[in-house]
Short mmCIF file of all heavy atoms in Angstrom, two decimals:
data_model
loop_
_atom_site.label_atom_id
_atom_site.label_comp_id
_atom_site.label_asym_id
_atom_site.label_seq_id
_atom_site.Cartn_x
_atom_site.Cartn_y
_atom_site.Cartn_z
N ALA U 32 -12.96 -4.67 -5.84
CA ALA U 32 -11.60 -4.30 -5.44
C ALA U 32 -11.05 -5.22 -4.37
O ALA U 32 -9.85 -5.53 -4.37
CB ALA U 32 -11.58 -2.85 -4.96
N ALA U 38 -9.52 -13.64 -4.62
CA ALA U 38 -9.94 -14.89 -5.26
C ALA U 38 -8.99 -15.34 -6.35
O ALA U 38 -9.03 -16.50 -6.76
CB ALA U 38 -11.35 -14.72 -5.83
N PRO U 52 25.49 -26.02 -8.39
CA PRO U 52 26.10 -26.36 -9.67
C PRO U 52 25.07 -26.40 -10.79
O PRO U 52 23.92 -26.83 -10.58
CB PRO U 52 26.71 -27.75 -9.41
CG PRO U 52 26.85 -27.84 -7.92
CD PRO U 52 25.74 -27.03 -7.35
N LYS U 66 5.77 -23.92 -15.07
CA LYS U 66 4.61 -23.48 -14.30
C LYS U 66 3.98 -22.21 -14.86
O LYS U 66 3.46 -21.37 -14.12
CB LYS U 66 4.98 -23.28 -12.83
CG LYS U 66 5.37 -24.59 -12.14
CD LYS U 66 5.59 -24.39 -10.67
CE LYS U 66 5.86 -25.71 -9.97
NZ LYS U 66 4.68 -26.60 -9.97
N LEU U 305 2.76 16.37 -4.86
CA LEU U 305 1.67 16.72 -5.77
C LEU U 305 0.44 17.17 -4.98
O LEU U 305 -0.23 18.14 -5.35
CB LEU U 305 1.32 15.53 -6.66
CG LEU U 305 2.33 15.17 -7.75
CD1 LEU U 305 1.87 13.93 -8.51
CD2 LEU U 305 2.52 16.34 -8.73
#
Side-chain angles (χ1 to χ4, degrees):
K66 295 186 175 292
L305 288 177

